[in-house]
Amino acid sequence: MDYSTRGIYKKRAELNAKMPKFANMFGAAFYQATLIIIITAGLAGCFAGVGVFRGVLASSPDISMIDVRPTGYSSTVYDSKGNQTTKLVATNSNRIYQTIDKIPIDLQHALVAIEDSRFYEHNGIDIKGIFRAAYVGITTRNFSEGASTITQQLIKNNVFTTWTSESSFTDKLKRKIQEQFLAIQLEKRDDMTKDTILELYLNTINLGQNTLGVQAASLRYFNKPVSELNLSESAVIAAITNNPSRYNPISHPDKNEERRGKVLRDMLSQGFITQAAYDEALADDVYSRIQTVNMQTEQNTVNTYFVDAMIKQIMKDMQNKLGYTENQAYNMLYSGGLSIFTTQDPDIQRICDEVCSDPETYPDKVEYLLDYQITATDPDGNVQNFSPQMMELYFKDQGRNGYDRLYPSEEEARADTQVYREYVESQGYTVVNDSTSITAQPQISLTVTDQYTGYIKGMVGGRGAKKASLTLNRSTDTMRQPGSTFKVVSTYAPAFDTNQKTLASVSMDEPFNYVNGRPVSNWYSGYKGICTMRYGIEQSLNIITVRTLTDITPQLGYEYLIKMGFTTLVDNEVLSDGSIATDITQALALGGITHGVKNYELNAAYACIANSGVYIEPAFYTKILDHDGNVLIDNTQPERRQVLKDSTAFLLTSAMQDVISKGTGGAVKFEGQALAGKTGTTSDNKDVWFAGYSPYYTCTTWAGYDNNEEMNDSAQKALAKTVWKGVMSRIHEGLAYKDFVQPESVTTATACNQSGMLAADFCKASGTAYTEFFAVDNVPDTPCKGHLTGDYFVCALTGQAASETCPLRTIGTPLIGGWCPHSLDAFGNVRTDPTPMEQAAGVLSGAVDPNANPVTDAQAAAQQALADALAAAAAGAGAGTTTVPDVSQMIPQP
């Protein structure tokens, strides 16, 4: 600096100059103004921040109105002995609530130690934790450090349920502020103790594998209730919470093990466990147990056929009985936390499963049915579906005549899927998706019911492994022709119940046509002549049954079937081709119906007979409780109605006992129980059945090809009976012998098996008298008027006696006097001499009156026409020559 006199003056002049003074003054003023603005802005910001903060708090939910209880609970299914069989779970509902007293203290402490070490000290938010997280975030620029308390997490999961979809920092900050505010408010509530908050939290948290809450997780990972978890297992559960995917003990056991170690160390350092407990838990090989349970669990994730059927019944009942929509019923069933008590008997179901899964049950001949479907797009992007039927047509076009998608092995079936796929692609299509289903054939189904309650005790809906839930259940979903099992329920039941027939009533097994002219065919060759109703049931006689239904009318048979619970019958239905279908026809007698029947409905009809004529709606469950333990639906007494008189039921049972003891059902017989039942086989052996019962249970079995192929192998034809005997014989092991009880409404009388009337002395002398059961109000009151026994030949066309020249001759008892018009003497003339029956008639008391069964006009006309034809043929043939025309061509053949 210049300290000379000149320098001093110069400096003084500068200081006194106007411009520098002005500049300095302006600078000072600007600084002051800037400072004021900054302070003002800061204050404004603070006030605005406070305002925003207050606004965020004001927009928080009202603490008095919020519900922090978790929602969405899995429903639990129990068998008839109280064992849990399965859980019904929708997304975000696999939760089973458990109170705090049933959650081990080690698990409580494990969660507190790893998630919120000061849980028992803070008032809802952890100030130390917040500052710690802030410090870590500032120093490392990683703000992932958590500071949420258990109370905050509870609110986040059960109040702010959309937090996973937050897209901005502002949204997250707003929710975090409200979360902390509500956490403080929540802990002030009298009903929210620390234990209550911890209980709600432990039932809320996501613990991987689609489990929510500690009970569901314990069952999934350890197959036991949470109350039985030890320290090591509790630490596994606690380790999952931070990141359920990363720390999943099944898919990432190594990561979970690391985290589990930290859980145990935190518990040790916080004084929750001792060193000895820590060492023991750390040494536990817990993950091998988890893997073992996982293998068992994955095998049981597919619902059984029984559960599938139960689900459908409950869905229907919720809509019909509770007024739910289908969507409401579904949500309640899968997310309502219901307790469902079923009718399934675990021992019976096990027997059913074992028999139906045993390869020894089935014939050696096994075929595999291929269902292969392709979804593809053409070059223009249009979607085209290729069905199994289209594949069938393709291979037939390739020269495989008779191709039916059946293969001797699964490998050959899969090879053809590749061939067909390559063909589709060669046509310019791009395959988007394809699905392959290969099932062993023939298939089976069965239902076992307690006839006195209507409770279904066991069910199998198909042969082979069940690969998915709610797939085809052949017991409840498919409709198959019932064959001869329908004879009892469609014909004999209404015939006896209306007193139009008795077991002793007789009918003629001879050529008989439906009203449309089509002949009724027998399953055996020839005809059996006069037969009782009992014998018709025992030997499953087609013509006898059709004639009986014709007598009582198909309308009556149809009405009884409807009362017996069949839902698949039609009285007037317009088919896709415009034609009208009805099941009110004579074919109803033999099970010839439009759509077929369902196994479990046929079983219910036979259970009705076994239950003295009382029909009970088949039941898959007895009771449903809601999440709070209140009864939602009580089905312990399913709907029931008296369809048949108890006398009718007993008469049918008696006849069906003969089916097993000496008729078509002998193959199902086993010792130690009274049994009754009926066989059923459709034309071409496409469906085979056995429906029957003991005094304990009713069981119906079916076998056949899913694609309606004919069964030619004898073992295949017998499969339904094989399965029935295999299941029922084991079910009855150890059960005391019971007989079918004769009701007071049934009595016995001596009847004639040639007339159905009360037996006369000559009936007893000729051996046609026998003791029969009758309803007390339907005992015949007329003695037999006369008949003849022995082997006679009858003309199938006219019912008269037939000689060796009659081409329609069959063994039987003539019901009309005289020879038929094609029974010729040595000269070619119609015979006029007494028939063998007429010759013997004079010897017996009460001989048959030739006029008792007069020839109808139509028969007389036919006789005359045939006689004229025969006479003309004889005249034209010359002396000594007899020419018999082929009259068999004049009527349809059976």
Side-chain angles (χ1 to χ4, degrees), residues 160-209:
F160 299 108
T161 55
T162 60
W163 64 271
T164 55
S165 61
E166 293 170 345
S167 58
S168 68
F169 175 78
T170 303
D171 289 339
K172 294 179 181 178
L173 180 62
K174 177 182 177 181
R175 187 257 306 160
K176 200 73 175 177
I177 293 171
Q178 292 180 336
E179 188 181 285
Q180 293 175 342
F181 171 69
L182 290 176
I184 296 173
Q185 298 300 311
L186 184 67
E187 294 216 6
K188 290 179 180 179
R189 282 172 39 173
D190 293 338
D191 61 334
M192 284 295 160
T193 64
K194 288 290 185 178
D195 276 352
T196 302
I197 292 171
L198 186 59
E199 176 182 307
L200 294 171
Y201 171 76
L202 292 171
N203 283 283
T204 296
I205 49 178
N206 180 358
L207 292 169
Q209 293 295 127

Side-chain angles (χ1 to χ4, degrees), residues 66 146 158 174 494 614 621 664 686 690 712 797 800 844 855 883:
I66 66 171
N158 293 336
K174 177 182 177 181
V614 178
Y621 70 95
T664 57
K686 293 180 179 178
F690 193 83
N712 296 312
L797 178 65
Q800 295 170 291
L844 291 174
V855 180
T883 303

Side-chain angles (χ1 to χ4, degrees), residues 541-724:
L541 306 182
N542 291 352
I543 290 174
I544 298 298
T545 308
V546 174
R547 296 185 78 146
T548 301
L549 183 65
T550 303
D551 290 344
I552 68 171
T553 75
Q555 178 67 42
L556 180 65
Y558 176 85
E559 291 171 358
Y560 266 82
L561 291 170
I562 296 300
K563 290 190 288 185
M564 287 188 195
F566 290 100
T567 63
T568 57
L569 303 178
V570 298
D571 60 351
N572 191 1
E573 180 178 304
V574 180
L575 302 180
S576 57
D577 61 1
S579 61
I580 305 296
T582 179
D583 291 330
I584 307 175
T585 69
Q586 291 168 294
L588 188 67
L590 308 182
I593 53 181
T594 306
H595 300 302
V597 300
K598 298 177 179 180
N599 179 303
Y600 84 112
E601 290 186 349
L602 181 62
N603 192 66
Y606 271 77
C608 167
I609 301 172
N611 188 33
S612 301
V614 178
Y615 173 82
I616 305 177
E617 289 280 354
F620 290 92
Y621 70 95
T622 58
K623 188 181 296 184
I624 302 176
L625 305 183
D626 66 15
H627 177 61
D628 297 319
N630 302 309
V631 176
L632 194 63
I633 300 179
D634 187 342
N635 195 40
T636 52
Q637 294 291 323
E639 180 183 336
R640 61 190 62 209
R641 55 183 175 270
Q642 188 84 38
V643 175
L644 303 173
K645 296 181 293 188
D646 61 352
S647 58
T648 301
F650 181 80
L651 297 179
L652 294 171
T653 297
S654 177
M656 287 192 284
Q657 285 183 276
D658 286 354
V659 170
I660 294 176
S661 64
K662 53 186 176 181
T664 57
V668 307
K669 186 178 181 180
F670 58 88
E671 298 301 322
Q673 282 300 333
L675 302 173
K678 184 70 187 71
T679 52
T681 305
T682 60
S683 57
D684 299 324
N685 297 297
K686 293 180 179 178
D687 298 278
V688 293
W689 298 80
F690 193 83
Y693 48 90
S694 72
Y696 287 98
Y697 299 107
T698 302
C699 177
T700 297
T701 54
W702 164 87
Y705 278 74
D706 283 336
N707 63 340
N708 279 309
E709 287 294 311
E710 181 179 349
M711 291 183 289
N712 296 312
D713 183 270
S714 59
Q716 290 181 337
K717 296 176 185 178
L719 183 54
K721 289 183 278 191
T722 301
V723 173
W724 194 93

